[in-house]
Each structure stands twice: as structure tokens, then as C-alpha cells.
Amino acid sequence: MQETNKKVLVVTGPTATGKTALSVLLAQRLGGEIISADSMQVYRGMDIGTAKVTPQEMCGVPHHLIDVAEPSENYSVARWVESAAAAAEDIFARGRVPIIAGGTNLYIDSLLSGRDFAENEGDGALRAELSAEYDRIGGEAFRALLREVDPERAEKLHPGDRKRLVRALEVFRLTGQTITQHDAHTKLRPPRWASLRVGLRYADRDALYARINRRVEEMVAAGLFDEVRNLLSGGLSPDCTAMQAIGYKECVEHFQGRCSADEAVDAICMNSRRYAKRQLTWLRRDEALHWIAWEGAPDVAAAADEIAARWHGA
């Protein structure tokens, strides 16, 4: 049930739109603390490629859920939601404002919806069995098995999406309920807390893409390739979840001799732009999202004024 006396502020948007600077300024003005909603900033040692907030950029504002896992771990949305909910409740208990800032919108939506993952944590043995079955019969045949019990979800998934196909069938085998049914029930639940949700974007899409390209150049200049090389030389598998992040997988391909350094940089830029487009598509579904569209260079102070006024109901 929604706790109406508790309200969180969300600052989201595509990559490279100024979420970090705005969220820090809002935290200073509203007496807030920031909960990072970034699926890759949870990993230690992955700083440059994730554009992780630096101690200087934090400006003394407490940040939560950064550097909480090793890159070798398979960090899940369920684990993040549990940790983020606990962090928010602790912030509330100290009379401060939780500010959820980041671009991993699956994490944000799952947290705000009040979804409880505990009932479907999974079964390692069953997952291994289903994964082996997928490998044995192939994606098309495995999707046909899912289609028998959950045709709606099967149609949404590509035969090559091994992880989600296996997970969908696993949930049905464990609970007798399809993921489609589970999602429908989740939508009926009231939100976990009240919220003011702010989305950042550029009025001109080309301006966003130019900013993304510049950020990638800055990452490379800051030592992105060295960061990835150090992770690999430290024993991290190039196949682990963390190394599939944009910026890391392209560097890995370069080190494996599949492309030149320049080609890897071009691929990072292209994949980052595509990711930003997907983020915008996701966010446009939220009719309650308050958009701030940068016309040129982000005016973070003016945006903070506007959001603070909305927060206080002015």
C-alpha cells in the first residue's frame, strides 16, 4: 500500500543529459540524499565507462548504491530494488528526501511500483536445467515451449533472448503463474510512495547525440581502455554481465583483435546513441513525467528552481 506521507523525487533521462549535476543541486536545496539508479555504477572498479559520479561532483551529498558489488557478480533488479527501498526508508527515517537519480528505468519503475521480487527469487537448479534445454533444442524451439503456457510473453521475446526466455519458463514452472499474469497483478498494486518524476532531454536530438559523442571522447581521454585492460588483467571474464555494458564490451572486442581502437570508439558512440533513443522511448510511456528540455547548454540552476517549486507545491 502506498504511504502517502512519503514522497520521493526522481531525476531520470537518457545518458549525458545532466542528471548528476541536477540531482546534487536538488539534494542540497531540498535536504536530500541520492540513490543511484544505474545498473552499472553498482560495480566497483568501473568508473570511467559508467561516468560514475566523483567525490568532487558529490559536493558532500550522500550517495547510495554506488560501488556495492564486484564486477564478477551478476547484480539483479531484484537485489537493487531491495537495497534501494531500504536506503529510501532510512533516508525518510532521518527526515530527509530520497532522490532517485539515474537512467536505468527498469530499476526505477520496479522500485516505485512496489513490486516484490521475493516470491520469485528463482531456483538455480531449475534455471540450469532450462538453460541446458535451450542450448540443446535452440531458441525457436524453446520459445515454442514458452508459447504453450504464455503466448503473449513468447511473442514479445526474440528467440535469441536466452536469459528472458529461460526466466519466463522458470517462473511458470515454479509458481504456476506466467510472467504476463504476474506483471498484470503488479500493475494493480498502488505505488510504493508518492513521487515527483522529472525527465531530462535535449529539445534537439542532434544536440543530445553530439553531447554523447563528446562524453565518449572524454572517457577515452580519461583512460577508458586502460580501465578495461586492468579489469581483464585482474581476472574478470569478458563474458560476465558487467563487461556487456556499453563502453566495456567494445573495448573487449578491440583487445580480442576484432576491431581497431578507433572502430571501438565509433561503436561506443553509436551504441550509446541507440541506448539513449531506447531510454527516451521507455520514458515517453510515463504520462506523469515532468519533462525539462534543454534548449542549449543545460541551465541546471533554473531547472532546480522549477523542480523545487513543484516539490513544494508552488
Side-chain angles (χ1 to χ4, degrees), residues 190-207:
R192 193 186 300 267
W193 311 293
S195 64
L196 170 60
R197 303 188 295 282
V198 177
L200 305 182
R201 64 182 177 88
Y202 281 86
D204 180 3
R205 182 75 63 86
D206 289 338

Side-chain angles (χ1 to χ4, degrees), residues 75-130:
Y75 200 91
S76 68
V77 58
R79 180 175 168 185
W80 184 87
V81 166
E82 180 181 7
S83 298
E89 291 296 344
D90 178 62
I91 294 168
F92 282 131
R94 289 184 282 105
R96 296 176 66 79
V97 176
I99 300 175
I100 302 161
T104 304
N105 293 293
L106 173 62
Y107 280 19
I108 296 171
D109 288 359
S110 297
L111 175 66
L112 296 183
S113 70
R115 182 177 178 187
D116 181 7
F117 291 85
E119 63 205 41
N120 286 328
E121 281 298 328
D123 182 304
L126 175 59
R127 186 173 303 167
E129 177 186 331
L130 291 172

Side-chain angles (χ1 to χ4, degrees), residues 115-160:
R115 182 177 178 187
D116 181 7
F117 291 85
E119 63 205 41
N120 286 328
E121 281 298 328
D123 182 304
L126 175 59
R127 186 173 303 167
E129 177 186 331
L130 291 172
S131 296
E133 180 74 357
Y134 177 98
D135 294 339
R136 186 180 68 81
I137 66 176
E140 286 287 1
F142 194 91
R143 188 170 70 157
L145 293 178
L146 178 62
R147 188 180 291 114
E148 293 177 4
V149 296
D150 190 356
E152 185 174 343
R153 183 52 56 96
E155 289 307 311
K156 291 180 179 179
L157 296 178
H158 187 275

Side-chain angles (χ1 to χ4, degrees), residues 7 20 28 36 49 122 128-129 160 185 219 227 237 239 257 278 309 313:
K7 185 169 71 169
T20 296
Q28 292 172 324
S36 171
E129 177 186 331
H185 293 161
M219 288 177 174
E227 179 172 87
S237 169
D239 298 321
R278 292 196 300 272

Side-chain angles (χ1 to χ4, degrees), residues 16 18 32 65 76 91 96 117 119 123 139 146 148 174 181 183-184 196 201 209 212 224 230 236 244 271 274:
L65 296 187
S76 68
I91 294 168
R96 296 176 66 79
F117 291 85
E119 63 205 41
D123 182 304
L146 178 62
E148 293 177 4
L174 286 174
Q181 292 170 326
D183 288 350
L196 170 60
R201 64 182 177 88
Y209 290 168
I212 289 172
L224 175 59
N230 291 337
L236 188 64
Q244 306 313 305
N271 291 331
R274 288 176 175 172

